[in-house]
Amino acid sequence: MSKRNSQAAKTAARERLRQERERQAKRDKVKRQVVVACSIVGVLAVAGGIGYAVVQANKPSHWESVADDKVVAPANTSGKDGTTVTVGKSSAKKTLKIYEDPRCPVCAAFEQTVGPTVDKDIEAGKYKLQFIGGTFLDGDTEKDGKFETGSHGEGSKNAMSALGAALNVSPEAFLDFKTALYSAKWHPSESDDKFKDDDYLIEIADSVPALKGNAKFRDAVEKGTYDAWAVAMSQTFNNNKDGVTGTPSLVMDGKKLTGADGNAPMTADEFGKVVDAALKA
C-alpha cells in the first residue's frame, strides 16, 4: 500500500471516530435530559402525593361532617335536636336518667343483670326512663364547641344512629333493640368495633320483632338518616349538667345513684334498694 493510501485510510478512520463520538455525545445528552425530566416528574408526583395526603388528612371525617348537618330527629323524642329521649308512663312522678355508651362493656354487664328490672319498673309506672347516649369509647371529644372524632372507631356513633332508627319505630322497639345490643349474644368486646358495620346492626335488629324485616328501619340505618342526631346526642352527653363522665351512670333528681363501691349498682337487688331510696327522697 502506498504512503498516500495509508494516510487517507488513517484520515478516514479518524473522521469515523470523530463522528461516532459526536453521536455518542448527543445520545448522552438526550439520556441526561430524560433522567432530569423523569426526576422532575418524580419530585412533582411525590409532592403531589404528599399534597393529596395532607388534604385528605385534613378533610373532616364523615362523622365530623354530619355534626354540621341539619339534625333529623327520630319520632318519640323532644327537646333540642330531639335529644331528650324519655320512655315510660306519663303518670310516673320521677325520672331515672341513664347514661350509656353503646360499646361500653360495663353498660352491657349492667343491662344483662339489671336491665330486666328496669324494664319491669318502667312497665309498672314506677318511674320514667331518660336515655342519654355517649360515644366517648370511639375516642370522640369536643374542642372549641366542635365535635371531633377519635381514632378508636365509630361503632358507638353508628349504633347510636341505629338506636335513633329504632326509636323512630316506637319506644318499645328502642328499648328492645337497646337490650339486644347489650346482650351477651351480640355485644362485642370493647376492642372490636363491630357496631360500625350496618349489616351487623341490622342482623341484631332482626332479633327484635318490631324491627325484623322492617324496611323503613333498615333504610334509615343504611342511609345514616340519624347520623347527625347521634352526634347531637353525643354532644348532649358531653355537655351534661349532672357531672357524668363515665358509663353506666344513673341520676335521679340531680343526684347520682351509686352502690356500695361508688359506681352504678350492678345487681338487681342493690339497684332496687338504691332506686327505692331515691323515689322516697
Side-chain angles (χ1 to χ4, degrees):
M1 179 183 294
S2 68
K3 289 182 179 181
R4 188 177 61 183
N5 289 341
S6 176
Q7 185 63 38
K10 289 180 180 180
T11 300
R14 283 196 297 269
E15 180 61 22
R16 287 195 299 272
L17 181 60
R18 184 187 65 78
Q19 292 175 353
E20 179 60 29
R21 284 174 176 171
E22 287 182 354
R23 285 193 293 270
Q24 184 61 46
K26 289 180 180 179
R27 286 196 294 266
D28 290 344
K29 182 179 180 180
V30 171
K31 184 176 181 181
R32 286 195 301 272
Q33 290 173 335
V34 170
V35 170
V36 170
C38 289
S39 298
I40 292 172
V41 171
V43 169
L44 291 174
V46 170
I50 292 173
Y52 177 78
V54 170
V55 170
Q56 291 300 108
N58 286 297
K59 282 179 63 178
S61 71
H62 163 73
W63 293 101
E64 288 170 334
S65 296
V66 300
D68 296 323
D69 289 351
K70 179 178 175 58
V71 174
V72 177
N76 306 301
T77 63
S78 60
K80 186 177 184 298
D81 292 329
T83 54
T84 300
V85 178
T86 305
V87 295
K89 296 183 177 179
S90 58
S91 58
K93 295 181 179 180
K94 293 198 175 188
T95 299
L96 175 66
K97 290 183 179 180
I98 183 166
Y99 288 82
E100 294 180 315
D101 184 310
R103 289 176 63 188
C104 171
V106 185
C107 295
F110 173 85
E111 288 286 345
Q112 291 167 29
T113 57
V114 183
T117 300
V118 175
D119 290 343
K120 289 178 182 177
D121 288 350
I122 295 172
E123 181 64 28
K126 199 170 184 177
Y127 48 78
K128 293 187 286 289
L129 183 75
Q130 182 179 348
F131 172 81
I132 303 98
T135 64
F136 63 90
L137 283 174
D138 284 352
D140 300 332
T141 58
E142 251 187 273
K143 185 177 181 181
D144 299 327
K146 295 292 289 182
F147 182 80
E148 294 188 339
T149 57
S151 58
H152 302 154
E154 55 186 287
S156 288
K157 294 183 289 293
N158 207 39
M160 192 74 69
S161 179
L163 281 166
L167 184 59
N168 192 64
V169 174
S170 71
E172 294 75 23
F174 167 80
L175 289 176
D176 290 346
F177 183 53
K178 184 163 77 76
T179 296
L181 285 174
Y182 285 120
S183 69
K185 179 178 180 180
W186 298 109
H187 198 268
S189 66
E190 186 177 341
S191 60
D192 188 356
D193 195 23
K194 291 186 74 170
F195 286 165
K196 70 178 181 181
D197 184 353
D198 290 346
D199 288 340
Y200 187 66
L201 293 173
I202 292 169
E203 184 181 1
I204 297 172
D206 279 342
S207 68
V208 176
L211 302 179
K212 183 177 176 61
N214 188 311
K216 189 174 181 180
F217 168 83
R218 183 187 184 103
D219 186 62
V221 172
E222 293 179 336
K223 289 184 177 178
T225 302
Y226 302 107
D227 283 0
W229 176 83
V231 172
M233 175 62 84
S234 180
Q235 291 173 318
T236 297
F237 179 101
N238 293 339
N239 299 323
N240 77 85
K241 306 301 183 183
D242 294 320
V244 170
T245 57
T247 54
S249 289
L250 306 174
V251 176
M252 185 175 283
D253 295 331
K255 297 180 180 179
K256 292 182 184 179
L257 307 187
T258 60
D261 62 356
N263 297 312
M266 296 299 291
T267 67
D269 182 61
E270 186 175 38
F271 172 82
K273 292 177 181 177
V274 169
V275 169
D276 285 345
L279 289 171
K280 294 175 182 177

